[in-house]
Amino acid sequence: MNDSSKITFSKPFLTISQQIAQLKSRGMLFDNEEKAAHYLENLNYYRLSGYWLIFEKDHATHEFKEGTTFTRVIDHYVFDRELRLLMLDAIERIEVSVRSRLAYELSQKYGSHPHLNCDIFHPITAYTKTLTKLKSEIDRGKEPFLKHFKDKYREDLPPLWASVELMSLGQVSNWFSCIKHRQDRQLIAKHYDLDETILVSFLHHLTIIRNICAHHGVLWNKTLTVELKIPKKYESNYNTVQRKKLYNTFVMTEHLLSIISPTNSWSQKLLELISKYEIDTSMMGYKDV
């Protein structure tokens, strides 16, 4: 779009009381305006607007459906916040586990420093970029084991089983997808009862989820940019129509956690959270039952 087709931004600044008045004029109901003002002061009108979009009957006029309350908007905001925390809990366990398997399998086959062996990664451009990122993280690291290694050994990086501790989920995903030989990726993926192509897909997908959570984005009803690849043998468990909604993320997360931590209560906590805030699960891609 060229500049000649653009218009000047003309929406005025609104005080908190004016924000409430505007929402009321559009049909939103308030049972406690003082409490609503507190939320608007601390959460930002624009941020909360992402949670009242589903209650609009006409987005052009921003009119709300009959019976829409500010309290229900806040319910969805709090649900989404708690959902992000629950996802981060699962992501941490998955990330740590995959790091461990990556280090174990590659080190067992190729020795202590497989990450410095360019022959076992492909393509070389992606490997070089991933290695450079890891070196940067380690150079900045302040952990005692890094100082010990730098003072004592001549290799550029610590052994893989130590280096993985400095890898983010995105870096773990990149390292795994860069492994040249399918059989090496399979050694890692089989621990999770998955084909390596499925694990490559999910780690990439989960990195995007993690970034949404870390930056406090709207997660609960998001249409994701990257769909995860669905395992054929478990296909009936997934929603094969709405592939970019969170339901499939939940199913795969539960699958991995059942292997990593068999006694975990993550899925139960998810169900309790949905029930507590009376969330419409169809907006997350849940299948009709």
Side-chain angles (χ1 to χ4, degrees):
M1 184 181 290
N2 57 47
D3 288 344
S4 63
S5 62
K6 295 181 180 180
I7 62 173
T8 301
F9 185 86
S10 60
K11 292 182 180 180
F13 166 82
L14 299 178
T15 64
I16 298 298
S17 59
Q18 288 172 328
Q19 291 172 19
I20 291 174
Q22 177 164 277
L23 292 170
K24 289 173 72 175
S25 74
R26 294 171 175 174
M28 187 175 288
L29 304 175
F30 292 81
D31 56 9
N32 187 329
E33 291 188 23
E34 184 177 349
K35 189 174 182 180
H38 176 79
Y39 280 117
L40 287 165
E41 286 171 349
N42 289 282
L43 298 179
N44 187 3
Y45 181 100
Y46 190 78
R47 177 172 179 76
L48 286 177
S49 69
Y51 296 92
W52 64 58
L53 281 175
I54 62 168
F55 298 105
E56 291 182 347
K57 65 180 178 182
D58 185 342
H59 185 57
T61 63
H62 300 293
E63 289 183 76
F64 293 107
K65 299 171 186 175
E66 186 175 349
T68 298
T69 66
F70 188 78
T71 298
R72 279 302 285 153
V73 173
I74 294 301
D75 282 346
H76 282 75
Y77 172 83
V78 176
F79 167 75
D80 196 39
R81 177 181 176 277
E82 293 185 15
L83 176 64
R84 290 194 303 270
L85 292 173
L86 191 63
M87 279 304 308
L88 285 172
D89 172 65
I91 289 168
E92 177 189 345
R93 299 192 215 186
I94 294 168
E95 177 184 336
V96 170
S97 177
V98 176
R99 279 181 187 173
S100 177
R101 299 311 304 183
L102 178 80
Y104 183 87
E105 299 297 350
L106 291 185
S107 297
Q108 178 175 233
K109 186 170 182 179
Y110 296 105
S112 61
H113 287 75
H115 47 317
L116 297 181
N117 182 355
C118 64
D119 292 334
I120 64 174
F121 296 97
H122 181 80
I124 193 64
T125 51
Y127 165 69
T128 301
K129 183 177 179 180
T130 303
L131 181 62
T132 299
K133 178 68 175 176
L134 178 59
K135 284 182 176 179
S136 177
E137 292 293 332
I138 288 175
D139 286 343
R140 291 200 305 268
K142 304 297 182 183
E143 288 78 0
F145 80 86
L146 290 176
K147 183 179 186 309
H148 168 75
F149 178 84
K150 291 172 184 176
D151 289 345
K152 188 170 183 179
Y153 300 103
R154 60 167 59 102
E155 285 84 359
D156 289 342
L157 297 177
L160 185 56
W161 55 78
S163 292
V164 291
E165 294 302 317
L166 278 296
M167 292 182 188
S168 66
L169 177 61
Q171 289 176 53
V172 173
S173 175
N174 289 338
W175 278 104
F176 183 68
S177 64
C178 276
I179 297 172
K180 185 175 183 178
H181 301 295
R182 183 175 185 272
Q183 61 266 34
D184 290 341
R185 296 193 299 273
Q186 284 289 79
L187 283 173
I188 298 163
K190 73 175 184 179
H191 178 72
Y192 305 103
D193 192 26
L194 295 173
D195 183 80
E196 54 88 16
T197 59
I198 303 298
L199 188 55
V200 166
S201 169
F202 188 59
L203 290 176
H204 179 44
H205 176 86
L206 206 60
T207 300
I208 293 170
I209 299 289
R210 187 262 172 207
N211 289 341
I212 293 170
C213 294
H215 293 94
H216 323 300
V218 178
L219 178 66
W220 80 280
N221 65 339
K222 191 174 184 66
T223 299
L224 300 160
T225 55
V226 176
E227 66 182 62
L228 60 91
K229 186 174 288 189
I230 294 172
K232 285 287 185 183
K233 65 179 177 179
Y234 300 126
E235 190 173 62
S236 62
N237 296 336
Y238 292 81
N239 187 334
T240 57
V241 178
Q242 291 184 290
R243 289 173 173 259
K244 293 186 178 181
K245 288 294 186 178
L246 274 178
Y247 176 77
N248 286 347
T249 309
F250 295 155
V251 174
M252 182 62 82
T253 298
E254 289 174 14
H255 170 83
L256 289 176
L257 289 180
S258 70
I259 294 169
I260 295 166
S261 178
T263 60
N264 83 87
S265 58
W266 189 87
S267 59
Q268 182 60 37
K269 289 177 181 177
L270 175 61
L271 292 174
E272 290 171 358
L273 191 61
I274 291 169
S275 176
K276 177 181 178 181
Y277 293 103
E278 300 178 347
I279 298 300
D280 178 3
T281 56
S282 68
M283 299 191 73
M284 295 187 285
Y286 276 68
K287 297 188 291 185
D288 293 333
V289 292

